[in-house]
Amino acid sequence: MGNSVLVIAEQRDGVLKKVAFEMLGAGAGLATASGGSVEAALLGSGLDGLPDTLAQYGATKIYVADDDSLATYSSEGYTNTLADLIGKVEPAIILLGATAMGKDLAPRLAARLGVGLASDCTALEIDGGRLLSTRPIFAGKALARVKLNGDPQMASVRPNVLAAPEPDPSAVAAVEPVAAAAGQVRARVVDIVGAGAGEIDVAEADIIVTGGRGVAGPDGFVPIRDLAKTLGAAVGASRAAVDAGWIEHSHQVGQTGKTVTPNLYVACGVSGAIQHLAGMKTAKTIVAVNKDPEAPIFKLANYGIVGDLFEVVPLLEKEFQALLSE
Ligand SMILES: Cc1cc2nc3c(=O)[nH]c(=O)nc-3n(C[C@H](O)[C@H](O)[C@H](O)COP(=O)(O)OP(=O)(O)OC[C@H]3O[C@@H](n4cnc5c(N)ncnc54)[C@H](O)[C@@H]3O)c2cc1C
């Protein structure tokens, strides 16, 4: 068993997921503490240029399986290829993103390797030479600190929680092509249908405009979507709006939705319940639009507008459109 940290870097359509950079940042810290190095594994098809980006974020060596058979994600194909690679590299620690793909892949890979998995972690450290992972449990009411028996030690990491390092454009890494070993794949992806084609995922967005119960119905999301479109933003939602069936769960921000860290978060008709704040409180700039001046969201917001969102949001949209077309 070596002492390297292997980050499984996820890409979709040739674009690396942000969580890959966040894991490289955390992985570098772990590697320093354990005396190893941080490396990355990249799977897919047509991956030119991506290893350079991973090097800039700190990977010292990158294993690349670039093959048509890996063009779309398949549990078996990716597990087979990674199990093969891990057998050769023998990392001490393996990190994956707790994304839709990672949530499918990580447990399958752990089972294949016959090891444990700390899933959906929000902090990682080395304690007594072993990985110590922190993971929220019971919908975030408690934190479990997990140490795994056996090697390698595996953890999946919640996106948008750990800080990504600043990229170093001069960094270079060794790139090692590895053979795809997709093997016999019994379940094949035949089609991928994106939810709301063209929509930006809140977990990846730089700007988010969110609607809460205050939008009062599915049609209330029309001005929210208009403002989001003008700003090039993703549309977020509180759980109240999702539970009411006004918008799909993929938009939900918060403890039981997605954790987000955009530069700008515009909360409209959202009261600011603790479970909502848990998912967005680290946004750089928070703007709140609410007709109740006592709404708790104003305690966190950098800018607050007390008013009816159905008046304020279209006005904001008009102003931004004028400003951005200048
Ligand atoms: C275990 C658990 C997990 C949870 N997970 C989540 C989660 O992931 N995400 C989440 O969001 N919630 C979550 N919740 C629910 C959370 O507690 C709140 O109930 C929810 O966030 C409230 O949503 P809201 O702010 O949209 O609605 P409300 O609290 O009802 O607030 C609506 C706000 O809109 C304002 N408003 C109304 N009309 C207008 C108008 N025309 N113009 C301007 N403002 C207006 C009101 O003044 C009010 O402040 C969770 C709860 C539990 C118990």
Side-chain angles (χ1 to χ4, degrees):
M1 185 64 45
N3 57 0
S4 65
V5 177
L6 183 69
V7 169
I8 314 297
E10 182 180 345
Q11 56 81 32
R12 177 85 57 91
D13 299 328
V15 180
L16 287 160
K17 294 266 177 192
K18 247 178 17 183
V19 68
F21 310 141
E22 295 159 7
M23 290 189 292
L24 285 172
L30 300 177
T32 308
S34 66
S37 56
V38 62
E39 304 179 342
L42 180 63
L43 276 65
S45 171
L47 302 172
D48 290 353
L50 301 191
D52 295 344
T53 311
L54 292 172
Q56 291 175 8
Y57 280 92
T60 55
K61 187 168 189 180
I62 300 143
Y63 303 95
V64 183
D66 192 336
D67 193 87
D68 284 352
S69 64
L70 302 172
T72 44
Y73 170 71
S74 74
S75 316
E76 290 169 299
Y78 274 49
T79 302
N80 293 341
T81 302
L82 282 169
D84 224 40
L85 173 68
I86 289 160
K88 288 181 192 126
V89 175
E90 297 193 336
I93 295 172
I94 302 169
L95 303 179
L96 298 95
T99 57
M101 183 189 105
K103 284 178 184 169
D104 183 79
L105 178 60
R108 187 179 279 262
L109 187 59
R112 175 69 64 84
L113 299 173
V115 297
L117 167 72
S119 59
D120 206 17
C121 300
T122 53
L124 303 168
E125 63 196 274
I126 297 289
D127 180 64
R130 301 287 295 173
L131 179 66
L132 176 61
S133 314
T134 302
R135 47 185 306 263
I137 53 170
F138 301 119
K141 288 194 183 68
L143 295 175
R145 311 242 295 155
V146 180
K147 260 190 191 174
L148 301 164
N149 296 324
D151 293 294
Q153 304 161 83
M154 275 184 76
S156 68
V157 173
R158 183 178 291 190
N160 290 318
V161 175
L162 307 177
E166 279 300 313
D168 171 4
S170 65
V172 281
V175 176
E176 188 175 316
V178 293
Q184 200 198 356
V185 174
R186 289 164 299 176
R188 201 164 49 84
V189 176
V190 288
D191 197 10
I192 296 174
V193 183
E199 278 187 350
I200 305 166
D201 180 0
V202 282
E204 301 279 323
D206 206 36
I207 306 178
I208 300 172
V209 183
T210 288
R213 202 195 306 271
V215 306
D219 294 346
F221 271 98
V222 172
I224 304 289
R225 286 185 193 280
D226 287 347
L227 178 58
K229 198 169 166 210
T230 299
L231 293 173
V235 175
S238 71
R239 178 163 165 179
V242 172
D243 284 355
W246 303 338
I247 188 163
E248 303 85 65
H249 180 262
S250 58
H251 294 265
Q252 185 178 315
V253 172
Q255 195 178 294
T256 43
K258 289 178 178 161
T259 305
V260 300
T261 43
N263 277 317
L264 176 62
Y265 190 87
V266 187
C268 312
V270 174
S271 62
I274 187 125
Q275 297 88 352
H276 188 81
L277 304 187
M280 47 63 75
K281 61 175 183 259
T282 53
K284 280 215 179 79
T285 302
I286 298 168
V287 177
V289 181
N290 198 304
K291 65 181 183 186
D292 174 8
E294 303 298 327
I297 188 89
F298 286 129
K299 290 203 181 82
L300 187 70
N302 303 87
Y303 301 94
I305 303 173
V306 179
D308 186 335
L309 73 93
F310 292 103
E311 286 167 24
V312 175
V313 174
L315 275 176
L316 283 175
E317 197 267 328
K318 221 170 113 193
E319 283 298 315
F320 276 118
Q321 204 165 73
L323 274 169
L324 293 169
S325 63
E326 265 171 19

